[in-house]
Amino acid sequence: MTSNQFPTNIAIAGVYEHESRFSPDKTEFQIMAECAKGALDDSGLALADVDGLFGASMTMGMMGIVDLAEYLNIRPSHIDGSNIGGSSFVSHVNHAAAAINAGLCDVALVLYGSTAASNAMAIGTGGSSGSRNPETAFTVPYGMTTVGSYAMYANLHMKKYGTTSEQLAEIAVTMRHHASLNPLAKMRKLITVDDVLSSRLISSPLHLLDCCIISDGGGAVVVTSLERARDLRSKPIQILGCGEAVQHQGVGDTDLLTIAAKQSGNQAFAMAGLKRSDIDLAMIYDSFTITVLATLENLGFCKAGEGGNFVTGGNIGLKGTLPVNPDGGGLSSNHPGMRGIFLIIEAVKQLRGECGERQLDSPETALAHGTGGTIGDKHSGATLILGVTQ
Amino acid sequence: MSNIEHPLPYASFESLGYWEGTGRDELVLQRCNKCQIVQHRPRGICVNCLDASNLEHFVASGKGTVYTYTVTEQNQAKGFAKACPYVLAYVDLEEGSRILTNIVDCEPYDVSVGAEVMVKFVTQERPDTESFAVPVFTLS
């Protein structure tokens, strides 16, 4: 069992989102380095202050984090290159908070960079055509795709609860409205529910506009002690709670509709000592529209089966009871393969009040939840609850 | 109808009993006789007692129901690109485990959650390897 006494003396001191959505002239590490500079400048710290390095990417292999330290020419005292999919960076911030609290490092830098778009990666629909891996022997012969797995979740949810394609489409429409207010977002032209429903099916019941975009990009987050952060350039954002979880098919007896977010969310809320209704902003990994619905239900923002109603009528819009992804999310702003770091960056900027046209009215608490891997199959979940300091 | 060219699965020591079974047109599942657990995918240990000594294979009936499914309209991978649209599904087996599979020999959009299905084995001769059989399902 985890302790509810999570250290509340850790803060996010700097963030940076790479402005580009297409960088054919840059490498992953170059994008990460540019993001490192951006986040360190934001905090007022220097690369020489960094003694904890965290990072993962689509292509970093074994010892990738060591390669990254070499690229940056730094010699940190604490490194963590764990890769649990798109949620990795939420998990890295959780691990950084624990490491700083334990005295293993003082200034942690969390990095992501990707050239998924300029490499023309088929992320959601590129099913494997062969494998020498015993773990995939039972999926490879059948043409399992990422979008196909989420689509199977969606069909089950529709059958069990009567959820509709129109309700899922509203999520995409809301994200696009948010993106229209974000000058960095890749897709800013407003869309309607009909636009989503008339876009071609990719894997039933999910249409093209139910799926996230593919972009290049990157981001960085600087984590340090609240005490140190108070003396730095930007307003510190405190870490209030966190949780991580894994969900998979077990021995073939798992309830597919229960995802990792249920466990990681409960853990994060218990640590933070907050209720669901205390949260002013939710940053939810939106690989597909169904991902948002599944995550909101499993985090407990609404009951199982009520997600369809919860996401309609502007309820997750900027003026709704729970604004979700004011930046436009992976559905419309950016999705360079692994999106977890942008959940944290937008949460911090909103809590600081730096978001211009899409800025919420003085939010004090935010939740970020990253999903890594594939809902409907095996996946990880990482939850982070943040708050402004008093 | 299915024109999927199923990619060759990698049969490890742990799953050899399963893939040898499909070669005999038998759907073989694994059970721990001590814990009374049916587990799929097959493993070298029982996930409850972490012991192998009470594991055995048995032939399943091949009957099941569709737990959930999707009609795949886009998959660029070799063997699947020309087979679209095809049905990807989880099937709950009568004996109490679940298998990822394809539902074949039907109009893809005729498949539904809860539909009763029966196993069928697709044997593929390939120039690059020995023949192998993949269990798929048809609507009952």
Side-chain angles (χ1 to χ4, degrees):
Chain A
M1 279 305 291
T2 52
S3 162
N4 288 353
Q5 305 297 311
F6 190 73
T8 53
N9 56 340
I10 310 295
I12 293 176
V15 294
Y16 183 78
E17 176 183 326
H18 205 271
E19 296 198 348
S20 173
R21 299 298 188 257
F22 191 63
S23 309
D25 55 341
K26 293 186 194 297
T27 66
E28 270 185 11
F29 279 179
Q30 193 177 359
I31 291 171
M32 287 190 210
E34 290 174 1
C35 293
K37 182 177 187 329
L40 288 165
D41 286 352
D42 182 47
S43 70
L45 291 164
L47 190 58
D49 294 314
V50 173
D51 57 0
L53 181 65
F54 297 71
S57 83
M58 302 279 282
T59 64
M60 279 163 69
M62 189 170 71
M63 291 187 65
I65 193 73
V66 177
D67 295 334
L68 181 58
E70 182 203 43
Y71 185 88
L72 297 170
N73 192 27
I74 59 173
R75 294 173 178 80
S77 61
H78 189 73
I79 51 174
D80 182 346
S82 55
N83 188 333
I84 58 171
S87 56
S88 295
F89 315 95
V90 181
S91 140
H92 288 161
V93 169
N94 298 350
H95 296 181
I100 292 163
N101 186 59
L104 299 175
C105 61
D106 187 34
V107 174
L109 181 60
V110 181
L111 295 179
Y112 180 61
S114 166
T115 53
S118 46
N119 291 352
M121 285 186 188
I123 295 168
T125 57
S128 174
S129 55
S131 170
R132 297 294 290 172
N133 176 352
E135 276 70 44
T136 56
F138 298 90
T139 57
V140 159
Y142 300 113
M144 176 77 128
T145 60
T146 301
V147 60
S149 189
Y150 282 86
M152 287 196 288
Y153 185 103
N155 264 336
L156 184 59
H157 202 278
M158 287 176 166
K159 176 73 176 183
K160 186 167 182 185
Y161 298 117
T163 307
T164 66
S165 288
E166 286 78 3
Q167 289 171 328
L168 292 182
E170 281 223 28
I171 297 170
V173 170
T174 304
M175 294 308 111
R176 184 61 62 87
H177 175 248
H178 294 174
S180 75
L181 305 173
N182 177 2
L184 294 182
K186 183 167 177 172
M187 308 292 277
R188 302 187 63 196
K189 184 168 170 263
L190 292 176
I191 54 172
T192 65
V193 167
D194 279 346
D195 290 334
V196 180
L197 298 183
S198 60
S199 64
R200 67 190 163 87
L201 278 169
I202 302 295
S203 196
S204 72
L206 299 180
H207 303 78
L208 179 67
L209 293 181
D210 284 300
C211 304
C212 66
I213 59 174
I214 298 174
S215 69
D216 293 341
V221 174
V222 177
V223 188
T224 190
S225 65
L226 179 58
E227 188 183 5
R228 185 161 184 177
R230 285 194 196 281
D231 297 330
L232 296 175
R233 187 173 289 157
S234 292
K235 179 179 171 183
I237 299 301
Q238 205 167 341
I239 295 173
L240 302 178
C242 65
E244 293 175 24
V246 170
Q247 178 62 297
H248 49 67
Q249 293 303 298
V251 292
D253 57 353
T254 302
D255 170 21
L256 207 76
L257 298 182
T258 300
I259 67 169
K262 185 163 191 168
Q263 183 185 324
S264 66
N266 282 338
Q267 190 179 332
F269 274 104
M271 280 187 192
L274 293 174
K275 301 188 298 290
R276 270 63 177 178
S277 57
D278 292 328
I279 298 297
D280 297 326
L281 159 68
M283 293 300 304
I284 306 292
Y285 202 120
D286 58 340
S287 45
F288 303 96
T289 51
I290 186 65
T291 321
V292 176
L293 188 150
T295 307
L296 289 171
E297 285 186 3
N298 277 270
L299 287 172
F301 286 112
C302 61
K303 288 184 183 153
E306 293 180 359
N309 284 329
F310 189 83
V311 299
T312 55
N315 196 42
I316 60 170
L318 299 182
K319 297 194 187 315
T321 62
L322 184 70
V324 171
N325 302 348
D327 62 337
L331 287 166
S332 286
S333 177
N334 62 341
H335 194 292
M338 301 164 77
R339 190 162 199 278
I341 202 151
F342 306 109
L343 307 173
I344 306 158
I345 294 168
E346 177 73 4
V348 167
K349 288 168 121 172
Q350 286 283 346
L351 292 173
R352 287 187 194 161
E354 298 173 349
C355 290
E357 267 195 283
R358 67 180 191 279
Q359 177 62 48
L360 302 174
D361 183 18
S362 308
E364 294 186 345
T365 55
L367 176 146
H369 181 85
T371 297
T374 310
I375 286 176
D377 191 13
K378 61 191 166 192
H379 63 275
S380 66
T383 310
L384 183 63
I385 298 178
L386 302 170
V388 297
T389 57
Q390 301 307 318
Chain B
M1 277 40 70
S2 172
N3 51 354
I4 297 171
E5 294 172 43
H6 301 278
L8 181 67
Y10 172 59
S12 69
F13 290 112
E14 291 185 301
S15 63
L16 207 55
Y18 181 87
W19 295 111
E20 285 175 350
T22 62
R24 300 187 302 267
D25 282 5
E26 290 177 348
L27 184 61
V28 168
L29 293 176
Q30 200 179 37
R31 174 169 53 213
C32 177
N33 283 322
K34 184 178 159 207
C35 304
Q36 293 305 314
I37 282 176
V38 176
Q39 60 184 26
H40 183 76
R41 63 186 173 91
R43 294 157 165 93
I45 49 93
C46 160
V47 296
N48 193 50
C49 63
L50 301 183
D51 184 16
S53 54
N54 294 295
L55 282 177
E56 67 161 21
H57 287 107
F58 68 97
V59 178
S61 68
K63 289 181 191 166
T65 56
V66 174
Y67 179 61
T68 186
Y69 74 100
T70 179
V71 181
T72 310
E73 298 278 0
Q74 182 177 331
N75 180 356
Q76 295 95 315
K78 184 173 177 290
F80 298 100
K82 290 179 192 160
C84 292
Y86 65 90
V87 179
L88 178 73
Y90 281 115
V91 166
D92 278 338
L93 300 172
E94 196 173 54
E95 291 79 6
S97 198
R98 189 178 296 147
I99 182 173
L100 184 76
T101 190
N102 300 125
I103 312 293
V104 302
D105 298 345
C106 62
E107 287 300 319
Y109 286 93
D110 283 348
V111 175
S112 60
V113 172
E116 293 185 2
V117 290
M118 184 68 198
V119 74
K120 164 187 174 173
F121 296 89
V122 178
T123 302
Q124 302 216 319
E125 306 292 338
R126 292 163 51 124
D128 57 332
T129 180
E130 72 276 20
S131 69
F132 68 101
V134 175
V136 297
F137 286 76
T138 58
L139 294 175
S140 296

